[in-house]
Amino acid sequence: SARPCDMAAAASGASGASGLVLSLSGVDASEEKARERADARGSDTAVTFELPSGETACKAFGQGQEVGALKLWLVEEFCFEPSSLALTFDGKPLIDMFSLADVPGIAGAAEATISVAGTVDRARVAATSEAKAADAAASADMDEAAADGGDDEDDGFAEA
């Protein structure tokens, strides 16, 4: 049977042993890369996560994204301990290396509900809360400085 790269080369009319097709034909390379990433990501699925607390969280993920990417988002957003995190869909465990497109019932679906089990890292929650409070205070200081024209008389610089 033909390999996907062979089929792509045949469809594009390319010939040669490598089957590699390079055609930017006036398209900016960064635009080409962005298109390739979007194609690899696939169509979006709106995932609703049922958290252990009983709350829900929603985020769109591409069909090409792996379960591990969903777990990483949960770790970053909700401070789960990575080693404790387990996701299930329709009562079946989801394996990190599989993409959403590999999971029957999620493949091609516009929406999916995934159950989350795991332990929240309380120390990280506290540290994250403190960091957010510090960021908010710094942002407020910058807003105040911008509101007064941005010139502090004690900064050692003369106004122009």
Side-chain angles (χ1 to χ4, degrees):
S1 86
R3 296 179 314 184
C5 58
D6 295 337
M7 291 185 291
S12 68
S15 61
S18 72
L20 181 63
V21 179
L22 295 176
S23 172
L24 296 179
S25 61
V27 175
D28 184 306
S30 62
E31 289 177 24
E32 185 75 16
K33 275 289 194 200
R35 189 175 309 117
E36 287 174 9
R37 281 193 301 273
D39 288 346
R41 185 169 185 244
S43 62
D44 281 352
T45 297
V47 178
T48 299
F49 294 98
E50 295 176 336
L51 303 174
S53 65
E55 298 173 316
T56 59
C58 299
K59 180 163 174 54
F61 290 92
Q63 284 277 309
Q65 288 187 288
E66 293 179 352
V67 170
L70 280 68
K71 286 184 172 182
L72 179 61
W73 181 77
L74 289 163
V75 166
E76 290 173 353
E77 287 295 311
F78 300 100
C79 300
F80 282 101
E81 292 178 7
S83 62
S84 74
L85 201 54
L87 306 181
T88 56
F89 174 75
D90 201 22
K92 297 176 185 77
L94 298 178
I95 300 171
D96 289 3
M97 67 183 178
F98 288 169
S99 71
L100 294 179
D102 295 327
V103 180
I106 297 178
E111 299 177 347
T113 300
I114 293 176
S115 297
V116 179
T119 306
V120 172
D121 182 344
R122 299 284 177 208
R124 197 165 149 234
V125 169
T128 301
S129 297
E130 289 173 15
K132 285 181 181 178
D135 287 347
S139 179
D141 289 345
M142 286 190 285
D143 291 345
E144 185 178 315
D148 73 9
D151 182 41
D152 293 332
E153 293 181 23
D154 64 349
D155 63 3
F157 295 102
E159 262 186 72

